[in-house]
Amino acid sequence: MILNKILCAVDLTDQETNAAEYAQMLAKVSNAEVELVSVAPHPTYHIGVRTLYAAEEEIRESYEPLLKEFAAKHFPGLRVKTTLLYGDPGMELVGYCKKKEWDLVVMSTHSRHGLDRFLLGSVAQKVVHIVDLPVLTIRPKLA
């Protein structure tokens, strides 16, 4: 398998970096381009009396610098692009994966069980079962 393009999905609200470490290693050995993707909560979840546009701008202004900082820290010297999506992480990632061509998707699992998994669902599970691409899921490091 030749890797030219790797999509690395990250949750910026989580401090887990294990998936990024694997994506970086694979990109280095294959000279692949990495697209670092994160999904921010859709502004309609936090809108209150503000306008949708203002809420989206506020979220973008807070998330984009974090995503770029994450890319610089974890992918130094590599070809990396950052993309910020909005909405339900599972469905947004599935939709984004269908729009472009990657050789591999790398993402971590959160190892949720029981009620949390039932209520919140599993982003990795949605991506693995719906997307027609190879997906490498990485378990979080245990503390």
Side-chain angles (χ1 to χ4, degrees), residues 3 13-14 26 30 33 39 50 68 97-98 108 125 136:
L3 297 176
T13 63
D14 187 356
L26 291 166
S30 62
E33 178 182 343
V39 183
R50 290 177 282 151
K68 292 195 183 305
C97 285
K98 289 180 177 183
S108 76
Q125 184 179 21
L136 175 62

Side-chain angles (χ1 to χ4, degrees), residues 73-91:
K73 180 178 180 181
H74 295 284
F75 297 92
L78 296 174
R79 294 178 295 146
V80 63
K81 174 185 173 188
T82 59
T83 300
L84 182 62
L85 305 173
Y86 300 93
D88 173 77
M91 296 316 295

Side-chain angles (χ1 to χ4, degrees), residues 17-60:
T17 61
N18 215 17
E21 291 170 14
Y22 275 85
Q24 180 208 50
M25 176 188 63
L26 291 166
K28 275 185 180 177
V29 299
S30 62
N31 196 32
E33 178 182 343
V34 176
E35 184 158 357
L36 190 61
V37 178
S38 187
V39 183
H42 194 277
T44 56
Y45 301 140
H46 305 283
I47 198 159
V49 294
R50 290 177 282 151
T51 66
L52 180 61
Y53 178 77
E56 187 173 295
E57 278 300 307
E58 185 178 306
I59 290 171
R60 182 185 347 272

Side-chain angles (χ1 to χ4, degrees), residues 65-127:
L66 293 174
L67 188 57
K68 292 195 183 305
E69 181 181 309
F70 189 96
K73 180 178 180 181
H74 295 284
F75 297 92
L78 296 174
R79 294 178 295 146
V80 63
K81 174 185 173 188
T82 59
T83 300
L84 182 62
L85 305 173
Y86 300 93
D88 173 77
M91 296 316 295
E92 290 301 319
L93 285 172
V94 165
Y96 196 68
C97 285
K98 289 180 177 183
K99 289 180 184 178
K100 292 192 173 185
E101 293 183 22
W102 287 277
D103 300 307
L104 181 67
V105 176
V106 180
M107 62 191 306
S108 76
T109 64
H110 284 290
S111 298
R112 288 188 181 107
H113 300 287
L115 189 58
D116 279 351
R117 186 176 188 133
F118 176 75
L119 293 174
L120 300 172
S122 167
V123 174
Q125 184 179 21
K126 285 178 188 171
V127 173

